Amino acid sequence: MTDPKADQTAVTSPQADVTPAAQLSDLVQPRPILWIITLTAIAMSLFQMYTAGIEPLGLFYQRSAHLGFVLFLAFLVFPVTGPTKPRGTIGWIIDAAFLTAAFLSGFYIFYFLDDIIDRAGWWTQTDIIMGIIATVAVLEASRRVVGLGMTVIGLIAIAYALAGPRGALPWLGEWMPGILSHRGASVDRLVGQLYLGQEGIFGLPLGVAATYVFMFVLFGAFLEVTGAGKFFIDLAFAATGRKPGGPAKAAVIASAGMGSISGSAIANVVTTGAFTIPLMKKLGYKPKEAGGIEAAASTGGQITPPLMGAGAFLISEYTNVPYIDIVMVSIFPAILYLGTVYLFVHLVAMKAGMTGMSAAELPVVRHVLAAGWQFIVPLLVLIWLLVNNISPTRVGFWAIISVIAVTALRSGFTLMFLDPKAGKPLTGERLREALWSGIRLIGQALELGARNAVAVSVACAVAGIIVGVVGLTGLGLKFSSMMISLSGGTLRWR
């Protein structure tokens, strides 16, 4: 629910914070497909919230269901023909095949998990075929969502695993340097590692994406659709707008604020850049300087506590260090990084003789805080829960609930007490409109959160392929040998 008096505090479309490619593809999608995307994304977000705060699922159940949702959504949002062209008949045939593969990739593990565990190591032909289908689906989703580079890395890892005298590609093993050579793996053994085990696609990277990362991405989406982006931007402009190079400095401060709730560089650029880049260019910054400043400032969002990028959660899982400890040690690096960007902005502004914006063009700090104080409360709730060693997944769940509760209370107070004093009495019609507006915003947040999580989850699935190959071939152990060899035997611990 939103404050009826809040002017432009809510993003009107869930596409406002998704990647540019997804925004373009929505323009060529038929309306029924857009509805299917919306329903799939909402169902995914509700499933994630249920398993995070009400009834947790087992490791493989959670990850397989998450992968099925993510792949299905990826193939719906990103057509095989690209973001600017309609699918056409051939495109629909191809995407129908990949949508089927996406569903089967998650459903097969979810439904037949007990049988798969019982025959561990003695895979059936169906197991192998489903593993190949799932691997191809993950690589194709990576190509569409993340880019060709990640897909190529995944393919190289698979080819490396199959190379060797006992592998499916023995001829390729002949080209491997001595230290990188290994005996090779058969297709069955590789598929068992990548799809039917815990060290491949369903490994730790996807596990982190399916729990911690998704919930915090969804939390950021709830804050975004209720107006947190505008709140942080207005607060940044009110604090720095009058200083030399004001819009650029506001970009740094606003990116730090948005980064603390999203942990995503893309989300930062889309949210804050739309406001700050035009103002920077108007003030005298060159277009490439304005874009560079925004990109550099927004990248800092991935290391800005309390919510950081997926890497922070992976560090926590791999090292068994509590996430709150990762947050604490990240505060100083985040200050250093954003402070350096701020200093660069100041030097460029002083060198060019730029001035700040006039007071009439800027919001007033107390007015901004009065209109958006509710966005600070969920952050305080989140930090308090983390400090009390609550599971990050459960923290994300309760943080989302706090956003809904605080926003609903703010809207209800305005509707029942402030509006009647302003001559707008409470009526049944206005109450129904407010309730429907709240339900619609919750739906938008659920959709936006799922859309934003697709790229992270697909990248983590491909990372799982790479990790699985490293474990299968013994490449991880060989890295230490290579380091000692390169050091000439003089590597010492101090």
Side-chain angles (χ1 to χ4, degrees), residues 148-181:
L148 188 59
M150 193 79 172
T151 306
V152 170
I153 294 173
L155 289 171
I156 292 173
I158 292 173
Y160 175 71
L162 298 174
R166 298 186 184 179
L169 301 174
W171 58 269
L172 187 58
E174 298 175 1
W175 295 84
M176 294 292 174
I179 197 169
L180 293 179
S181 62

Side-chain angles (χ1 to χ4, degrees), residues 393-485:
T393 305
R394 190 62 61 88
V395 168
F397 174 81
W398 286 114
I400 292 170
I401 297 300
S402 71
V403 174
I404 297 173
V406 171
T407 307
L409 288 173
R410 172 66 185 266
S411 177
F413 182 80
T414 301
L415 198 64
M416 290 187 289
F417 297 103
L418 299 183
D419 282 355
K421 292 182 179 180
K424 298 179 181 179
L426 178 63
T427 62
E429 182 180 357
R430 294 190 67 227
L431 184 60
R432 284 193 299 271
E433 289 178 356
L435 289 174
W436 177 244
S437 175
I439 293 172
R440 188 170 60 248
L441 278 185
I442 289 174
Q444 289 179 0
L446 292 172
E447 179 183 358
L448 178 60
R451 280 171 166 256
N452 286 347
V454 168
V456 176
S457 296
V458 169
C460 286
V462 179
I465 292 176
I466 299 168
V467 172
V469 169
V470 169
L472 179 64
T473 60
L475 185 61
L477 298 176
K478 292 178 181 178
F479 277 129
S480 58
S481 298
M482 285 191 287
M483 294 303 297
I484 294 174
S485 176

Side-chain angles (χ1 to χ4, degrees), residues 114-324:
D114 290 340
D115 296 334
I116 292 172
I117 292 175
D118 289 340
R119 59 175 179 263
W122 301 93
W123 315 122
T124 65
Q125 194 64 25
T126 304
D127 293 338
I128 301 305
I129 293 174
M130 286 306 308
I132 294 172
I133 289 173
T135 304
V136 171
V138 167
L139 291 173
E140 172 61 11
S142 172
R143 183 192 68 82
R144 300 189 192 188
V145 179
V146 183
L148 188 59
M150 193 79 172
T151 306
V152 170
I153 294 173
L155 289 171
I156 292 173
I158 292 173
Y160 175 71
L162 298 174
R166 298 186 184 179
L169 301 174
W171 58 269
L172 187 58
E174 298 175 1
W175 295 84
M176 294 292 174
I179 197 169
L180 293 179
S181 62
H182 61 98
R183 70 176 187 174
S186 64
V187 172
D188 290 10
R189 190 175 179 216
L190 178 61
V191 170
Q193 176 82 353
L194 297 186
Y195 183 66
L196 302 168
Q198 299 183 36
E199 296 183 2
I201 293 173
F202 298 112
L204 192 58
L206 185 65
V208 170
T211 51
Y212 310 149
V213 174
F214 187 94
M215 292 309 298
F216 286 127
V217 168
L218 187 59
F219 170 67
F222 268 92
L223 282 177
E224 181 60 27
V225 299
T226 52
K230 185 176 185 300
F231 169 72
F232 284 116
I233 291 171
D234 287 348
L235 193 62
F237 272 98
T240 63
R242 297 184 186 182
K243 302 180 183 299
K249 294 177 179 177
V252 178
I253 303 299
S255 294
M258 278 302 300
S260 68
I261 64 172
S262 69
S264 169
I266 296 175
N268 259 354
V269 171
V270 172
T271 304
T272 61
F275 294 91
T276 58
I277 291 176
L279 289 173
M280 281 190 274
K281 291 164 64 177
K282 181 180 177 182
L283 196 64
Y285 285 95
K286 298 176 182 178
K288 60 182 181 181
E289 289 178 339
I293 290 169
E294 180 59 45
S298 295
T299 301
Q302 295 184 89
I303 60 170
T304 305
L307 298 187
M308 297 179 286
F313 297 98
L314 287 172
I315 292 171
S316 177
E317 284 296 298
Y318 275 117
T319 61
N320 288 323
V321 174
Y323 178 70
I324 185 62

